């Protein structure tokens, strides 16, 4: 149905838990709407810039002209826009229409922004859930893709079955910022890993190795690296870091080799220098024979705000 002929989706009127509105049709919002439709949910869509509907309308989505129309037609309102600043600007214009609905914000935020949004929601009697999507748009709908949720459990419980078409739902707890907290920590791991892979590709490429030859070896290596995380987890509690696998001194020597190879190839050395600084810090005060898990001491040390 076109925006001009907008009528509230019959399955989406208040009281029917199947009606969903998706606000924001960027890469992620489009993937969410696509999967909700595939699962047979009555789906209302809205985007600031018209013309982003693609084939969603032909496949049964209802395109709303205004945010208010979209919100009023749905029991669950999924917000997928750039960030919480944008979502606040959108939602605060239709506060009165949000009553009785569950708002799920899957836009990225910091935990602090999520807590501020939760305070706003409480003040205006709005039921707000927070989500973090641990997937790229192409992976939405795959059973193994994690969707992290936090906020009021009763709200999560009532829309949980509906959300199951998007991926594997993990409810983290009632504190609003929990989904964002996990999200920011997990994204840090992604950025660090991809940055390290890029450096590895650069280092091997300038030495005549094609990325297609390097990457399969790198991917196999990562499964061994992942085992370390499980091994070091118990050390986070015990605060003992035995160097029985490899000592910090050995790791520092390995990063020295990496730095030498980096300089010999005239490449950017910021990442290896950072790694060397962290490992050296962990090894100081006579801890060179401890294991790499001692980096936890560096990471958990509280630093004064700049
Ligand atoms: N893409 C991913 O892989 C991925 C994965 C996990 C989480 N996320 C999160 O999902 C959210 C959306 O990401 P995306 O990749 O879909 O981004 P995107 O493709 O850049 O889409 C951004 C969306 O925000 C809307 N928007 C921006 N400013 C607006 C404003 N002032 N008023 C109203 N709408 C506005 C855009 O509308 P217009 O079309 O009108 O510009 C568009 O619908 C982000 O918070 C992102 O961090 C993305």
């Amino acid at each position: 149905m076109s925006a001009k002929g907008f009528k509230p989706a019959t399955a989406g009127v208040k009281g029917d838990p199947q009606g969903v509105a998706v606000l924001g049709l960027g890469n992620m919002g489009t993937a969410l709407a696509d999967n909700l439709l595939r699962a047979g949910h009555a789906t209302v869509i809205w985007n600031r810039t018209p013309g982003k509907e693609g084939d969603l309308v032909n496949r049964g989505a209802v395109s709303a002209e205004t945010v208010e129309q979209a919100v009023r037609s749905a029991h669950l309102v999924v917000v997928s826009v750039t960030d919480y600043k944008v979502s606040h600007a959108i939602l605060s214009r239709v506060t009165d229409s949000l009553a009785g609905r569950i708002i799920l914000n899957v836009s990225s935020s910091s935990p602090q922004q999520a807590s501020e949004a939760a305070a706003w929601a409480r003040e205006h009697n709005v039921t707000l859930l927070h989500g973090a999507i641990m997937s790229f748009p192409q992976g939405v709908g795959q059973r193994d893709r994690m969707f992290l949720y936090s906020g009021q459990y009763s709200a999560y419980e009532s829309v949980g079955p509906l959300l199951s078409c998007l991926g594997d739902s993990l409810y983290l707890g009632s504190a609003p910022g929990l989904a964002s907290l996990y999200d920011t920590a997990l994204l840090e791991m992604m950025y660090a890993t991809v940055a390290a892979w890029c450096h590895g590709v650069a280092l091997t490429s300038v030495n005549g190795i094609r990325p297609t030859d390097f990457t399969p070896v790198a991917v196999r290596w990562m499964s061994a690296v992942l085992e370390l995380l499980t091994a070091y987890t118990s050390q986070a509690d015990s605060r003992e870091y035995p160097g029985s696998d490899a000592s910090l001194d050995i790791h520092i020597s390995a990063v020295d080799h990496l730095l030498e190879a980096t300089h010999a190839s005239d490449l950017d050395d910021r990442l290896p220098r950072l790694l060397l600084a962290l490992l050296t810090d962990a090894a100081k005060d006579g801890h060179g024979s401890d294991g790499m898990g001692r980096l936890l001491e560096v990471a958990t040390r509280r630093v004064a705000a700049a």
Side-chain angles (χ1 to χ4, degrees):
M1 187 180 292
S2 71
K4 275 194 166 166
F6 178 86
K7 288 193 197 103
T10 41
V13 291
K14 192 178 169 194
D16 186 329
Q18 295 307 305
V20 189
V22 177
L23 307 183
L25 293 176
N27 293 320
M28 187 50 84
T30 301
L32 298 173
D34 174 49
N35 278 274
L36 288 162
L37 278 175
R38 273 177 212 276
H41 298 297
T43 305
V44 180
I45 52 178
W46 173 86
N47 194 62
R48 173 184 61 171
T49 308
K52 297 276 182 82
E53 299 84 0
D55 68 349
L56 294 172
V57 172
N58 286 340
R59 292 172 45 218
V62 175
S63 180
E65 270 179 13
T66 65
V67 175
E68 186 160 19
Q69 281 179 340
V71 166
R72 283 191 181 279
S73 298
H75 171 73
L76 171 65
V77 179
V78 181
V79 187
S80 177
V81 291
T82 310
D83 54 30
Y84 265 43
K85 199 171 159 197
V86 171
S87 54
H88 180 72
I90 293 171
L91 295 175
S92 60
R93 288 202 303 265
V94 294
T95 311
D96 291 345
S97 309
L98 301 178
R101 279 139 187 112
I102 293 171
I103 316 302
L104 168 62
N105 199 341
V106 293
S107 314
S108 292
S109 79
S110 67
Q112 291 71 24
Q113 290 164 353
S115 296
E116 282 166 23
W120 173 85
R122 272 194 304 277
E123 197 182 313
H124 293 87
N125 215 13
V126 170
T127 306
L128 177 63
L129 275 176
H130 307 266
I133 303 174
M134 306 320 299
S135 172
F136 300 101
Q138 295 78 0
V140 173
Q142 291 177 20
R143 293 297 313 139
D144 64 335
R145 294 306 159 99
M146 294 186 294
F147 277 64
L148 310 180
Y149 299 109
S150 56
Q152 197 182 314
Y153 183 71
S154 56
Y156 168 74
E157 203 178 21
S158 76
V159 292
L162 192 155
L163 297 172
S164 64
C165 68
L166 301 176
D168 187 15
S169 302
L170 272 72
Y171 176 75
L172 300 172
S174 59
L178 273 175
S180 303
L181 186 65
Y182 271 67
D183 186 38
T184 49
L186 295 176
L187 288 178
E188 180 183 27
M189 292 179 68
M190 177 184 78
Y191 294 127
T193 306
V194 173
W197 171 80
C198 290
H199 188 78
V201 166
L203 190 59
T204 48
S205 293
V206 296
N207 289 285
I209 313 292
R210 290 178 309 174
T212 46
D213 290 328
F214 172 71
T215 300
V217 178
V219 169
R220 278 188 65 182
W221 169 232
M222 287 312 293
S223 66
V225 173
L226 289 179
E227 286 174 14
L228 292 179
L229 306 189
T230 309
Y232 293 154
T233 296
S234 60
Q235 300 181 6
D237 287 332
S238 69
R239 299 192 63 174
E240 287 177 14
Y241 313 99
S244 47
D245 52 351
S247 67
L248 281 166
D249 288 339
I250 287 293
H251 289 303
I252 288 169
S253 163
V255 178
D256 275 334
H257 301 152
L258 171 64
L259 259 178
E260 192 180 326
T262 301
H263 292 152
S265 303
D266 294 328
L267 291 171
D268 189 307
D269 70 353
R270 280 176 293 179
L271 186 54
R273 277 196 292 116
L274 173 63
L275 298 174
L276 187 61
L278 292 170
L279 290 166
T280 307
D281 194 2
K284 75 179 185 202
D285 300 330
H287 291 293
S289 60
D290 281 4
M292 196 169 29
R294 197 170 180 85
L295 282 170
L296 284 162
E297 289 290 323
V298 178
T300 53
R301 190 188 304 148
R302 306 302 285 263
V303 292

